Amino acid sequence: MEELAGIIVLGIFAQWLAWKVKVPAILPLIVFGLLVGPLSTLWTESGDKLISPIFSGGPDGKGLFPGRSLFYFVSLAIGIILFEGGLTLKLKEIRETQRSILRLISLGSLITFIGAGLAAHFIMGLTWSISFLFAGLIIVTGPTVIAPILQNIPLNKNVSTVLKWEGILIDPIGALVAVLVFEFIRSAEGGMAFTGHAFGTFIEILLYGGTLGFLAGLALYHIIKRDAVPHYLLNVFILAYVLMVFVLSDVLAHESGLLAVVVMGLVLANKDVPRIKEILSFKESLSVLLISILFILLSANMDMEELQLLYKDWRPITLFAFVALVLRPLSVFASTAGGNLSTPEKLFISWVGPRGIVAAGIASLFGLTLAEEQIPNAEYITPLVFMIVLGTVLLNATTARLVARLLGVIQDTSSGVLILGGNDFALTIASYIKEQGRNVYVVDSNGSNIAKAKEKGLTGIVANIYNTDLAEQYELLDVGYMLAFTGSNEVNDYALSRYTPIFGERGAYRLITADELKKRHQAADDGIFSYSDDFINFSDANREMSVVHERELFSNTEFAELLVAANTEKVIVPLFLKHPDGMLHVIPRDLSTVDVDAGGYHLVYLGNTLPEGANEEEVVMEEGI
């Protein structure tokens, strides 16, 4: 009982510690597992591990899982984790992704696979089958290890986009490659003779796993869509369904379960599944718990003999250096040739390639299975992959900021704009700001509003700011301005109070409330976007004419008169004062703080056209353009 409780407590503490010190969770998880596992034998009086995952037998035996129970638990847990990974793989996103990212997850993965397989064979002397299984496992980077780097280093847009999408897309793809290589080894009569029978068995695994996963995914989609399961049972029903499909596929074709659940997740990811965010949220929480338990267990299950394979031999370090310092740069430069990335950007992406949770988890599962079947060199799989994972995570966590600064890929200023609210006038304003060369991000809890934003070419994020931590959205790292444009005063107030320190470095503003508009002289002196127009006025102006105009200003008097004219016309809303350098500034409450007499200033406004006068130009942002 103590050991089981200890694993859960240690696992969750490791997750918290990783969040606190901003490192990938896999790092403290593996370290804690090693400390209570093989390393604890160095100081315990009996020479036993503090936590023994496998039950040793006998009346006084220690350990948690008797016989093959640990193998079964790891298999089912990895199945659930891979299903959750499959849920994130949207084919539409792959099609929309930059060419360099697509080549990185295709050509780059192929280079890594071939290069690592050759290196493992010639450096470590492993059999060809085990060498290429190792190669398949270390293709995966994964979002769980990339995210802390992107969240804590303000990288430029090109670099952060490539690293983000590589991590997301390659996670399930890499897992699928590793599963296929593993299935081929298993079907090859002990991993040595790739006969016609072995190839036939491999095809059988592909057919059963792929077909069952596809059909099970379609069936689950219709079950959810037709509300055949009550809402309160849905998440646990899906959990049971995933386990059932995993086991059924395994019964039909041995070891095809992993492929089946990845395919099932992929099918659901590319269907319009109702309540998909709730399902993903539950699966993510479950995955965190399973990962926490798994890596304490798997690290603790290693023996000192396995660790000695690494530090008593020069070959593993040579293999690590080749993978991290030769293969990664080779795959990045080959994949991004002819793209829009600069040499410093390519060098930084080459440096950052930490391997993650899926690689280590599947390696442990495959290592256990193949070692049990006495496949030659199978004992090297787990320690070698754990070495690559720990080494790359440590290397990147400790040096990424320094390398980014040396290469000049850190953003100088936070000039992005975050707009909370995807209503029509907010999207018109967002489109105008984007035309001025700014990165604009629209956040709304309504998926249809975000769909409209994406149609306009804007970056949209579906999120409820009450239960989603926007600080974890690493695509928002360049945000320095925040505009709260929702129709709810409470949401706007909450957004400013919670996110101004994070996203309002250069300014955070909300709409004025109806009550404040009636008593505008009592309104706050800062944090209000417009002191003359509330949500209704903005909506009416945009409904009248969803156009953003620019009016050149020639004097302070003219500026004041135009604002009075705009205030008289309720379908005209002043937005910004555009300075001669092209920068947009919120119109101040006290006009005496600005001097437009020097020339080059423009009044930016929404809605109908101001009275004729000085030169005027229009920047048209019609809805849908």
Side-chain angles (χ1 to χ4, degrees):
M1 183 174 70
E2 293 86 353
E3 288 180 320
L4 183 58
I7 287 171
I8 296 172
V9 170
L10 273 178
I12 300 304
F13 176 70
Q15 292 276 0
W16 175 85
L17 184 64
W19 166 79
K20 192 68 177 175
V21 300
K22 296 178 170 56
V23 297
I26 195 170
L27 185 59
L29 283 170
I30 292 178
V31 170
F32 283 3
L34 292 175
L35 286 173
V36 298
L39 295 180
S40 67
T41 61
L42 300 176
W43 64 76
T44 55
E45 291 183 9
S46 62
D48 293 331
K49 297 177 181 179
L50 290 176
I51 292 180
S52 300
I54 297 180
F55 183 65
S56 58
D60 299 322
K62 294 184 64 179
L64 294 169
F65 295 90
R68 290 176 54 83
S69 300
L70 177 63
F71 167 78
Y72 297 142
F73 174 76
V74 172
S75 296
L76 293 173
I78 294 294
I80 294 167
I81 292 168
L82 288 185
F83 171 71
E84 193 261 327
L87 283 174
T88 66
L89 186 55
K90 295 183 181 293
L91 299 178
K92 181 183 177 183
E93 290 176 350
I94 296 179
R95 289 193 294 269
E96 293 174 350
T97 304
Q98 294 179 11
R99 174 174 167 267
S100 57
I101 300 174
L102 291 177
R103 292 187 65 187
L104 195 57
I105 64 174
S106 54
L107 178 61
S109 295
L110 181 62
I111 291 171
T112 302
F113 180 66
I114 295 173
L118 293 172
H121 178 72
F122 288 110
I123 295 174
M124 292 295 303
L126 303 181
T127 62
W128 284 113
S129 57
I130 294 297
S131 295
F132 280 101
L133 177 59
F134 165 79
L137 288 164
I138 64 163
I139 287 174
V140 181
T141 54
T144 53
V145 286
I146 290 292
I149 294 171
L150 298 184
Q151 287 168 356
N152 296 297
I153 305 174
L155 299 169
N156 70 37
K157 189 75 173 174
N158 278 344
V159 172
S160 59
T161 299
V162 169
L163 288 175
K164 170 197 167 184
W165 283 109
E166 182 198 14
I168 290 174
L169 297 176
I170 209 169
D171 202 18
I173 290 173
L176 188 57
V177 170
V179 169
L180 292 178
V181 174
F182 173 71
E183 310 297 14
F184 198 75
I185 293 173
R186 290 295 308 283
S187 64
E189 297 181 359
M192 292 174 283
F194 295 106
T195 62
H197 172 71
F199 186 73
T201 305
F202 176 65
I203 296 299
E204 184 180 84
I205 289 168
L206 285 180
L207 287 175
Y208 276 106
T211 304
L212 182 61
F214 179 77
L215 294 177
L218 287 179
L220 183 56
Y221 164 70
H222 287 291
I223 289 170
I224 298 170
K225 189 175 182 180
R226 295 176 183 179
D227 290 324
V229 177
H231 185 264
Y232 77 96
L233 272 181
L234 183 60
N235 285 326
V236 289
F237 172 83
I238 293 173
L239 173 61
Y241 189 87
V242 170
L243 295 177
M244 180 190 73
V245 170
F246 179 90
V247 173
L248 178 60
S249 182
D250 224 39
V251 169
L252 294 174
H254 195 46
E255 299 298 340
S256 65
L258 291 176
L259 177 60
V261 294
V262 172
V263 172
M264 184 167 66
L266 191 149
V267 169
L268 288 177
N270 292 278
K271 290 283 187 180
D272 186 18
V273 181
R275 299 192 291 275
I276 187 66
K277 285 185 70 66
E278 294 177 38
I279 297 167
L280 267 173
S281 178
F282 172 74
K283 289 291 175 289
E284 286 170 4
S285 299
L286 185 61
S287 290
V288 167
L289 178 60
L290 289 174
I291 286 165
S292 302
I293 296 171
L294 266 181
F295 283 99
I296 299 291
L297 276 174
L298 296 174
S299 303
N301 194 49
M302 293 179 70
D303 297 320
M304 285 302 297
E305 290 77 13
E306 290 179 299
L307 295 181
Q308 288 169 1
L309 290 174
L310 302 179
Y311 69 80
K312 284 190 174 182
D313 193 341
W314 59 269
R315 294 178 303 169
I317 301 302
T318 305
L319 180 62
F320 170 78
F322 182 80
V323 168
L325 304 179
V326 178
L327 264 187
R328 175 67 176 174
L330 179 62
S331 66
V332 169
F333 274 82
S335 303
T336 57
N340 62 345
L341 294 176
S342 66
T343 299
E345 289 170 341
K346 293 177 185 178
L347 286 171
F348 183 78
I349 294 168
S350 300
W351 185 255
V352 177
R355 269 57 181 183
I357 281 168
V358 171
I362 301 178
S364 298
L365 173 60
F366 293 173
L368 282 172
T369 306
L370 297 177
E372 188 180 65
E373 297 179 0
Q374 299 182 336
I375 302 295
N377 300 143
E379 70 275 10
Y380 281 94
I381 286 292
T382 301
L384 282 179
V385 173
F386 270 53
M387 176 196 68
I388 297 291
V389 169
L390 274 176
T392 53
V393 169
L394 273 173
L395 183 67
N396 295 151
T398 54
T399 63
R401 183 177 289 274
L402 174 64
V403 173
R405 200 173 295 281
L406 290 174
L407 293 173
V409 296
I410 290 181
Q411 294 176 136
D412 296 326
T413 58
S414 300
S415 58
V417 180
L418 174 63
I419 296 181
L420 300 171
N423 51 68
D424 290 342
F425 75 77
L427 296 184
T428 301
I429 296 170
S431 298
Y432 168 79
I433 296 173
K434 186 186 177 194
E435 285 291 315
Q436 307 307 302
R438 300 290 190 85
N439 292 325
V440 183
Y441 309 90
V442 180
V443 174
D444 198 298
S445 59
N446 188 322
S448 61
N449 286 344
I450 295 303
K452 290 180 185 177
K454 290 181 177 179
E455 287 174 7
K456 288 174 173 283
L458 301 166
T459 302
I461 300 171
V462 179
N464 183 319
I465 66 168
Y466 287 110
N467 54 31
T468 301
D469 188 358
L470 293 179
E472 294 179 358
Q473 301 282 339
Y474 39 80
E475 57 262 63
L476 302 179
L477 270 176
D478 69 329
V479 169
Y481 301 89
M482 181 171 65
L483 305 175
F485 282 169
T486 77
S488 167
N489 299 330
E490 291 76 16
V491 170
N492 292 340
D493 282 334
Y494 177 77
L496 259 64
S497 65
R498 180 174 180 184
Y499 289 116
T500 294
I502 302 170
F503 300 122
E505 172 190 338
R506 308 185 69 184
Y509 305 92
R510 63 171 173 82
L511 294 177
I512 195 169
T513 68
D515 289 339
E516 288 172 328
L517 192 60
K518 293 174 185 176
K519 304 174 182 178
R520 67 185 72 178
H521 62 284
Q522 297 179 6
D525 289 329
D526 57 5
I528 293 179
F529 184 76
S530 168
Y531 287 89
S532 58
D533 297 283
D534 61 3
F535 182 89
I536 294 175
N537 293 353
F538 273 81
S539 299
D540 288 345
N542 190 73
R543 192 177 302 111
E544 179 74 15
M545 186 182 294
S546 58
V547 177
V548 173
H549 311 262
E550 290 183 0
R551 173 78 169 255
E552 189 172 1
L553 301 172
F554 295 93
S555 69
N556 292 326
T557 303
E558 180 195 20
F559 182 29
E561 288 175 351
L562 287 174
L563 291 179
V564 170
N567 194 35
T568 304
E569 292 282 341
K570 292 302 180 185
V571 289
I572 298 176
V573 174
L575 300 175
F576 305 104
L577 180 62
K578 188 175 183 179
H579 285 222
D581 61 1
M583 293 294 290
L584 300 175
H585 294 261
V586 172
I587 298 170
R589 186 177 195 177
D590 182 2
L591 296 184
S592 65
T593 59
V594 295
D595 181 10
V596 303
D597 284 340
Y601 289 85
H602 289 76
L603 173 64
V604 179
Y605 64 95
L606 170 70
N608 220 336
T609 308
L610 278 166
E612 291 295 327
N615 295 330
E616 179 174 307
E617 55 180 324
E618 290 184 2
V619 180
V620 181
M621 293 294 158
E622 300 289 356
E623 187 165 353
I625 294 178

